[in-house]
Amino acid sequence: MRDAGRWGKYISGRKRLEHVKEGFMRKTIRIVLELIVLAAVLALYVMINGFPDIQQKLSAQRSGVEKNGPSERANVVLLGQQAKASGPVNIVLKQPIDLKGKTKDEILKLREEQLLWHWDVFGDEAYQPVPAILSAVDESRPWWGLDGEYHYGEGWTGEQNIEGPSEESRFLLNPLLLVALVDLEAVTDILKVDDSTSNSEDRWDSNIEEKSPDFFPAYSGPRSLVWWPAQSRAEARYDAGSHFRDFMEGEGASENLEERRMILWLTAYNAQDFGFHWAYISLEHSQNVSHGNHLPEPFQLREFIHVGGSCGYPGGCNNASPFVKELCCFRVSHFPAKVQVFLWKDKPDSAETTPDMIFDIWVE
């Protein structure tokens, strides 16, 4: 009887345990089903309305980060209190290449790869080009070549115009060169280009005078690009070369100064790609330059790349446009020369407004 009693208690205990397990399973299944329903409702809500804070940020990006400027998303460089590096940060500079035959995606990939080298300036955001700058690139058309523009010059209407590395590759492959030197021209009738030197790589070399004493370089590549993110400042330095210095400051230069003038021409569509849509040339903080097109107020940057006829090639070439007089025709009196550019994202009240970034161009 004692054994039978124990067996009865065992059976009764097993039944109670099974009852508890069944109850637990029912509750678990009910909770899982409720979570599935909740997730489905949440997913449906997000599809319709989006997450409020994320949606608000995306809307702000789409509508533009600047007021009274282009309404499009811009990339962000980390400056001031957001800076990951105080500086100096030496930016790797890419040599120009021939862009003929490359797709727009391939060109943008090269641009993105350059930014990946400098996460301490650009951050870890995915690069997205501002559509207004690059959307008009025509993959089927050639690009204006550096040899075509600077070696052969105006007046040619054939294949010579598209020879050499593409001129815009100087800037497209160096996106952090926010403001860049386009032309470094010596305006005179006494200088001629030596046809015996036409190697495109040599033409980019700032020391070309050592290779061909009779060759006068029509442009110069940047020697260095340095950022100080915490100070919201950067500078690019160009080597004018001994030819330019002799031309400007050599024997007899002062006797015929009106004919011996050096002209600088800048471009800034890279600045636009990072949300800087307003600029001002601070002559007060520049050095050894004057500017006949100087404006007392900030001006809006408005460059883009399209197919234009200025290259002289039949059907046109991909090149930058329009001509921005505020960025052109800085007259150099002596070396070293500096042009200081104030940059803003939002339209500033005046030139006295503290700039979001300062970019210096040095020609030495």
Side-chain angles (χ1 to χ4, degrees), residues 218-266:
Y219 67 88
S220 175
R223 187 179 71 221
S224 65
L225 173 60
V226 182
W227 280 58
W228 289 266
Q231 301 176 32
S232 302
R233 182 172 68 89
E235 69 175 29
R237 290 183 176 265
Y238 292 78
D239 188 353
S242 62
H243 278 301
F244 287 118
R245 285 189 289 271
D246 290 344
F247 170 73
M248 290 294 297
E249 302 171 353
E251 183 178 356
S254 59
E255 299 176 4
N256 198 12
L257 186 60
E258 190 62 28
E259 292 184 6
R260 291 173 177 266
R261 58 188 189 275
M262 186 71 64
I263 302 298
L264 307 182
W265 181 7
L266 307 179

Side-chain angles (χ1 to χ4, degrees), residues 94 97-115 127 129 134 137-141 143 169 172-175:
K94 294 293 185 180
I97 64 172
D98 190 350
L99 297 176
K100 289 192 294 292
K102 291 191 178 296
T103 66
K104 190 186 305 184
D105 287 341
E106 288 174 334
I107 295 172
L108 294 178
K109 185 67 175 177
L110 292 172
R111 196 166 168 84
E112 181 180 15
E113 288 174 355
Q114 179 68 354
L115 290 171
Y127 171 67
L134 299 171
V137 170
D138 188 338
E139 299 173 356
S140 67
R141 300 304 304 165
W143 294 73
S169 69
L172 288 175
L173 270 58
N174 294 295

Side-chain angles (χ1 to χ4, degrees), residues 128-194:
Q128 295 185 21
V130 171
I133 301 174
L134 299 171
S135 60
V137 170
D138 188 338
E139 299 173 356
S140 67
R141 300 304 304 165
W143 294 73
W144 199 350
L146 285 170
D147 283 2
E149 182 172 5
Y150 294 107
H151 182 70
Y152 296 102
E154 297 181 2
W156 294 82
T157 57
E159 293 292 328
Q160 295 92 341
N161 302 66
I162 59 175
E163 287 187 6
S166 305
E167 66 151 347
E168 299 302 335
S169 69
R170 295 176 290 173
F171 321 122
L172 288 175
L173 270 58
N174 294 295
L176 292 175
L177 190 62
L178 300 189
V179 183
L181 184 63
V182 178
D183 285 337
L184 182 62
E185 297 179 343
V187 182
T188 178
D189 294 332
I190 66 175
L191 296 171
K192 302 293 182 183
V193 174
D194 180 7

Side-chain angles (χ1 to χ4, degrees), residues 28-85:
T28 301
I29 293 173
R30 186 171 65 252
I31 292 172
V32 170
L33 290 175
E34 289 175 352
L35 289 175
I36 292 174
V37 172
L38 180 61
V41 171
L42 180 61
L44 181 61
Y45 176 84
V46 171
M47 289 176 61
I48 297 174
N49 301 299
F51 287 110
D53 57 337
I54 296 178
Q55 192 73 13
Q56 184 177 3
K57 291 179 181 178
L58 291 176
S59 297
Q61 290 174 343
R62 294 191 187 102
S63 63
V65 295
E66 74 292 334
K67 60 182 178 181
N68 301 323
S71 58
E72 54 192 22
R73 181 189 184 278
N75 297 288
V76 177
V77 284
L78 304 176
L79 302 174
Q81 294 182 349
Q82 294 183 331
K84 291 185 177 180

